[in-house]
Amino acid sequence: MSEKYQRIRYDLSEDQRMLLAHISRENDAPLSFGDDLEDVPTDIETVSRAIIDVGYGDWFLLEDNISTMLDKLQAGVADVLSVAQCKNGQATVTVSDDEMTATLEIMAPYGGRYMDLPEVERVLERYGVRHGINISAVENLTAQSQLLDPGKTISVEVAYGSPSIDGDDSRFSRIAGTAEDRGHKPKTFDDGHIDIHDFGEIPIVNIGDPLLKRLDPTPGIGEQNVYGVVNLPTPGATIDFDIGEGATVSRSDPSLLVAMIKGQPIFSEKGASVDPVYQVDQVDMTTGNIVFEGSVVVKGDVAEDMKIEAEGDISVSGQVYAATLTAGRSIAVANGILGHAPHEEPTGREITATIKAGGRITARFVQFSELTSGDEVLVQEFVLHSNVKAKNRVQVGDAKTAKGKIIGGSVGANTQVCAGILGAPSSVHTAIDLSDVESGIRREMLHAESWREELTENMEQLQKAFNTLHERQKTEASIKKLRMIGEQIKRYLDEIEKSSKYTYVKGNINDKEIIESLVEQVDGVVNFAAESHVDRSIDGPGEFIQTNIVGTYVLLEEARDYWNNLE
């Protein structure tokens, strides 16, 4: 190397951001600052130490320029080269492929200024990150970057997208109460006393009462990425009602299920039904007394001191102990009705099973009980030490086999008392009261006389009609005329059957959709759909209720709805 190139001096650029290395001859004037290097540097490490010595060791080394400077020193070429640079802190943002997370990385400065929070926030904005920013994480990362050595980096996830939340399907909210809602809390009366058997009345609904409300499905919340872009969610679905018997969708609110009949509401997960019969396994302290505006079916026994009140029928598959049963219609007990035996001293509890029905009372046996029937009392085996009163008859056992027994107590009826054995050889007092039989017979005779008069009048009218018909049939012309009329009627009926105005539709009067479609096609409605025969209505009242009451209700409602919608 030529001896005339042996000096290197360092100086800052005009903008104070670059460290310049001046390669000069020995006789060149010294620069304004910097130390002379007596020995010519031969590698980058030597130059780096020299830069540290002049106070710029934390600046960013421009290694390519330093290599060029070393080459020029070797070649004896004078020049001015940048060897170090002052750099401020920097920040970058990396967004995940699914655009649901953003990672912020901050690099410490090379001799320059550390990044502050506003600068970092501007970087996030420049990268388009706007949603789900964790400002605390950004602040903490910015503060920690102040402690880094030059050029070191630190990073953390600072923004998160919001995941999609699908909408909820329709939910169902009960409006009517159920027997379970009563709980097992005894009723407290106004005077402060508590009846441990009384849990309150069993809730019932009337026709048109609301049962179940369907809540609208929710739309859901869309996914929103860190850029703030929203993707639509999957909305919830509208779930159909499970419509049970005795329930229907409200005409004014398709999201409301209402009662079609009066009875006990029964709920499923998505629907409801109304049962005119309340069913329970047994009646005891766990169920409390039963008060129901319909019929009651007990699958087991009725415990002592319990009460059942029903506007309809009461059916007990087990036994009735010293309880009270009151029914608007019939009471049927598959086994016996058993009250308490009398005490030696009167206590007021000698007759403790009290059975009162507006209609028939049936049981296998009756003992120490009081029965009052608005119709008849039928007992299979015996009535012991009981008071029985029937509007019509009392029959114990089969009259043909003479096995039924009435011993003790009092039995009265308006028409007849029938049993195989009345009373006992012992001193047990047995009273049979037939004081009302005569008045009952008198009423029957008056009824029969009225019926005879009605039949006589009908016979006279039939005779007149027969005579008129006989006179018309005296001449051949009348006969031919009648035949012609018959043929005309037949042709008329055939034309009707072929007419586009006549349609035969087979369906059920309870089918709302069929009735609705037919009402819109006709000018008038005549209803001949009905269940008949009284005995059948006693054995199976459900069919009669559905056809004669509910069916007529459906028909009338559809007709009224069609009329209201006419312009």
Side-chain angles (χ1 to χ4, degrees):
M1 179 183 296
S2 173
E3 290 295 329
K4 61 182 178 181
Y5 295 105
Q6 297 297 319
R7 283 188 173 180
I8 299 178
R9 293 181 176 83
Y10 295 93
D11 192 7
L12 293 178
S13 63
E14 184 175 344
D15 61 3
Q16 305 290 301
R17 306 295 294 176
M18 292 289 184
L19 180 64
L20 305 177
H22 295 260
I23 304 173
S24 61
R25 296 183 178 86
E26 289 185 11
N27 57 352
D28 287 342
L31 299 172
S32 59
F33 95 97
D35 296 325
D36 296 338
L37 298 179
E38 297 299 333
D39 297 325
V40 177
T42 59
D43 53 38
I44 293 177
E45 184 178 353
T46 304
V47 175
S48 176
R49 287 198 300 271
I51 292 174
I52 294 173
D53 290 341
V54 298
Y56 296 95
D58 58 349
W59 284 32
F60 179 73
L61 295 180
L62 302 174
E63 293 185 356
D64 290 344
N65 288 2
I66 294 173
S67 297
T68 301
M69 181 189 74
L70 294 175
D71 291 341
K72 289 189 176 183
L73 282 172
Q74 294 293 329
V77 179
D79 203 350
V80 178
L81 298 171
S82 300
V83 293
Q85 182 180 8
C86 176
K87 289 186 175 183
N88 293 331
Q90 298 180 6
T92 57
V93 177
T94 303
V95 176
S96 61
D97 292 340
D98 62 2
E99 300 179 347
M100 294 300 286
T101 60
T103 301
L104 175 64
E105 181 180 78
I106 299 178
M107 184 179 69
Y110 288 94
R113 177 171 47 80
Y114 284 90
M115 296 200 74
D116 58 18
L117 183 61
E119 289 179 311
V120 174
E121 290 176 339
R122 285 194 292 273
V123 170
L124 289 170
E125 185 176 354
R126 188 169 65 248
Y127 276 87
V129 177
R130 299 180 178 87
H131 175 73
I133 297 175
N134 185 343
I135 191 63
S136 295
V138 175
E139 291 174 348
N140 292 337
L141 188 68
T142 303
Q144 292 175 23
S145 70
Q146 308 285 328
L147 307 176
L148 296 176
D149 292 333
K152 298 298 183 181
T153 61
I154 185 172
S155 64
V156 72
E157 290 182 353
V158 296
Y160 301 92
S162 301
S164 175
I165 300 177
D166 290 341
D168 294 327
D169 294 342
S170 298
R171 294 180 295 112
F172 298 87
S173 177
R174 276 175 36 189
I175 299 175
T178 65
E180 290 75 13
D181 296 334
R182 300 187 306 163
H184 298 282
K185 184 178 180 181
K187 184 176 181 179
T188 302
F189 293 85
D190 294 338
D191 60 3
H193 83 274
I194 297 175
D195 185 348
I196 61 174
H197 304 92
D198 192 346
F199 298 159
E201 294 185 2
I202 296 172
I204 67 161
V205 292
N206 294 301
I207 296 174
D209 283 353
L211 299 172
L212 191 70
K213 179 70 174 179
R214 179 176 58 204
L215 304 180
D216 292 336
T218 60
I221 300 175
E223 175 188 273
Q224 190 171 9
N225 62 25
V226 295
Y227 296 124
V229 177
V230 177
N231 296 317
L232 295 179
T234 300
T238 298
I239 305 301
D240 292 335
F241 282 116
D242 286 340
I243 304 176
E245 293 186 3
T248 187
V249 177
S250 169
R251 294 178 180 273
S252 60
D253 184 356
S255 296
L256 183 65
L257 208 59
V258 298
M260 290 181 64
I261 60 174
K262 182 178 181 179
Q264 172 199 7
I266 301 173
F267 294 95
S268 62
E269 182 180 355
K270 298 180 291 184
S273 60
V274 180
D275 193 341
V277 177
Y278 177 72
Q279 300 189 43
V280 63
D281 290 335
Q282 71 281 325
V283 178
D284 54 23
M285 293 291 292
T286 64
T287 63
N289 294 335
I290 303 298
V291 179
F292 186 65
E293 296 183 22
S295 297
V296 175
V297 173
V298 182
K299 298 179 181 179
D301 297 334
V302 180
E304 181 177 326
D305 290 333
M306 302 308 297
K307 295 180 181 179
I308 301 177
E309 295 181 13
E311 291 188 0
D313 303 315
I314 297 177
S315 174
V316 180
S317 298
Q319 186 159 290
V320 176
Y321 292 93
T324 300
L325 275 60
T326 305
R329 295 199 295 263
S330 66
I331 295 178
V333 181
N335 289 322
I337 301 172
L338 181 61
H340 286 294
H343 297 273
E344 293 182 2
E345 297 295 331
T347 64
R349 289 174 59 87
E350 281 71 20
I351 299 296
T352 52
T354 303
I355 312 298
K356 185 176 181 180
R360 176 189 299 174
I361 298 176
T362 61
R364 188 164 67 88
F365 66 85
V366 177
Q367 186 170 348
F368 302 115
S369 303
E370 183 168 341
L371 279 63
T372 304
S373 169
D375 184 13
E376 59 184 0
V377 175
L378 305 178
V379 180
Q380 297 177 24
E381 297 179 5
F382 57 81
V383 175
L384 301 181
H385 309 291
S386 300
N387 297 333
V388 179
K389 184 69 174 176
K391 184 178 181 180
N392 291 321
R393 65 174 178 142
V394 175
Q395 179 172 319
V396 182
D398 187 349
K400 295 180 180 179
T401 59
K403 289 185 177 182
K405 300 178 181 180
I406 299 176
I407 300 176
S410 173
V411 177
N414 289 354
T415 58
Q416 65 176 348
V417 175
C418 181
I421 298 175
L422 295 176
S426 64
S427 59
V428 176
H429 177 73
T430 303
I432 306 299
D433 182 5
L434 297 175
S435 59
D436 291 333
V437 170
E438 182 179 353
S439 62
I441 293 174
R442 185 179 296 111
R443 286 194 299 270
E444 291 295 329
M445 291 179 64
L446 291 175
H447 178 70
E449 179 62 22
S450 175
W451 188 32
R452 185 190 66 79
E453 292 177 355
E454 183 179 351
L455 287 176
T456 301
E457 182 179 353
N458 290 339
M459 286 295 296
E460 291 176 353
Q461 292 178 355
L462 286 174
Q463 184 62 46
K464 290 179 180 179
F466 176 78
N467 292 338
T468 300
L469 181 61
H470 181 69
E471 290 296 328
R472 290 180 179 176
Q473 293 178 341
K474 287 183 176 180
T475 63
E476 186 68 24
S478 297
I479 295 174
K480 290 182 179 180
K481 186 175 182 180
L482 289 174
R483 288 176 178 174
M484 291 175 59
I485 293 174
E487 292 174 356
Q488 288 178 351
I489 292 174
K490 184 177 182 302
R491 288 195 299 271
Y492 180 67
L493 292 176
D494 291 339
E495 291 175 359
I496 290 177
E497 187 172 356
K498 298 175 183 179
S499 173
S500 60
K501 296 182 179 180
Y502 169 84
T503 303
Y504 174 75
V505 178
K506 184 178 180 181
N508 192 311
I509 192 172
N510 287 299
D511 192 327
K512 174 179 173 294
E513 293 182 357
I514 289 180
I515 299 301
E516 182 180 9
S517 64
L518 294 178
V519 167
E520 297 175 353
Q521 303 177 39
V522 300
D523 297 323
V525 177
V526 180
N527 179 21
F528 295 107
E531 300 287 346
S532 62
H533 203 289
V534 176
D535 289 347
R536 289 183 57 244
S537 71
I538 295 173
D539 296 334
E543 294 180 358
F544 283 72
I545 291 173
Q546 288 298 317
T547 301
N548 298 359
I549 298 175
V550 178
T552 304
Y553 168 77
V554 171
L555 185 63
L556 291 174
E557 283 296 296
E558 292 302 327
R560 182 176 65 175
D561 184 64
Y562 175 74
W563 174 265
N564 290 336
N565 290 329
L566 291 176
E567 297 184 355

